[in-house]
Amino acid sequence: MARKETAADAANAGRLKQIALTYKMTRKADKKIGLVLAAVGLGTLGVFLAIGFLIGHPVYLGILGLLLGVLATAIVFGRRAERAAFGQMEGQPGAAAAVLDNIGRGWTTTPAVAMNRSQDVVHRAVGKAGIVLVAEGNPNRVKSLLAAEKKKMNRIVADVPVHDVIVGNGEGQVSLKKLRTTMLKYPRVLTGAQVTATNDRLRALGDLMSNMPLPKGPMPKGMRMPRGGPKAR
């Protein structure tokens, strides 16, 4: 029993530490986060207290307002933390791969299936919507990378739909913060067995970066493809 309590205490401490770390990271990009959270929490509590006094039940409404205030604060904090994280990642090579890795269950992501010396890169995600090729880099250069990769996908898995996305803030592009939502909006047309079969066929094909170590998350700025290394297909 004592061991279970110790484990629970350790888990809670770890959670609190993670929340504190997230808050510190968010505050670097969002200086008003503290004021916003306080306004949301106290504002919610104040509204319910006022209603409680009006109807003669300040205690009950005060407790409800406190609970809803904590909930509202948590929701606002989560959204602003996510926005701050995307803001820090945006523009860094490999940022889209980090988003794809956290898209959720049912998707298999392969980063950097095509790349050139200018760090323009194409990632691939496979799910029930089919194959989604996600490009990041110079819009003019990545189009040729996308076209070549899409042509290869259509040749190897012709029965699977292939979508393509260019990450960016220009016309016809998808911003980093909307990438996950865009992916999840594609209609699901494949069964689980078809997704597995598609992944097996693509895995047998091999990828550009299969023999090159690739760091998780955004790639360091200034990274260049080595001379004599693999070229975009």
Side-chain angles (χ1 to χ4, degrees):
M1 185 70 177
R3 290 182 179 178
K4 289 183 179 180
E5 291 180 354
T6 302
D9 290 341
N12 290 333
R15 239 179 252 113
L16 291 175
K17 186 176 180 180
Q18 182 64 37
I19 293 173
L21 181 61
T22 303
Y23 177 82
K24 289 180 180 179
M25 293 178 63
T26 304
R27 195 170 183 278
K28 291 180 180 179
D30 188 352
K31 300 297 184 182
K32 297 181 179 179
I33 181 68
L35 293 175
V36 171
L37 296 181
V40 170
L42 294 177
T44 304
L45 175 59
V47 169
F48 276 84
L49 272 177
I51 296 174
F53 279 111
L54 286 174
I55 64 176
H57 295 286
V59 176
Y60 297 129
L61 270 295
I63 294 174
L64 179 60
L66 179 61
L67 295 175
L68 292 178
V70 172
L71 177 61
T73 301
I75 292 173
V76 172
F77 175 57
R79 289 180 177 177
R80 293 183 82 98
E82 184 180 49
R83 189 186 308 165
F86 281 129
Q88 293 175 2
M89 290 169 56
E90 198 159 13
Q92 295 189 45
V99 175
L100 293 175
D101 279 340
N102 294 281
I103 197 172
R105 295 180 61 183
W107 288 90
T108 301
T109 301
T110 306
V113 294
M115 178 187 283
N116 59 28
R117 294 184 183 278
S118 300
Q119 296 187 36
D120 304 314
V121 63
V122 175
H123 313 294
R124 185 181 68 223
V126 181
K128 291 187 176 181
I131 298 172
V132 183
L133 301 174
V134 180
E136 53 181 333
N138 183 284
N140 296 320
R141 292 194 300 258
V142 295
K143 288 180 180 179
S144 60
L145 283 176
L146 270 178
E149 195 63 23
K150 193 170 184 177
K151 183 178 180 180
K152 183 176 67 177
M153 293 298 101
N154 287 329
R155 184 175 67 250
I156 297 168
V157 282
D159 54 336
V160 177
V162 180
H163 311 278
D164 58 86
V165 174
I166 298 178
V167 175
N169 297 312
E171 186 177 353
Q173 301 175 7
V174 176
S175 65
L176 190 65
K177 64 181 179 182
K178 292 183 179 180
L179 177 58
R180 184 177 183 275
T181 303
T182 299
M183 297 278 292
L184 296 177
K185 282 183 178 180
Y186 288 121
R188 300 183 178 187
V189 295
L190 301 182
T191 64
Q194 288 174 314
V195 172
T196 301
T198 301
N199 276 318
D200 289 342
R201 290 163 71 181
L202 293 174
R203 195 176 296 115
L205 170 70
D207 297 302
L208 172 72
M209 303 300 285
S210 58
N211 296 317
M212 180 179 291
L214 186 71
K216 293 184 178 180
M219 289 182 283
K221 291 184 176 180
M223 178 181 175
R224 290 289 185 271
M225 291 286 289
R227 293 183 178 276
K231 297 181 180 179
R233 292 173 291 181

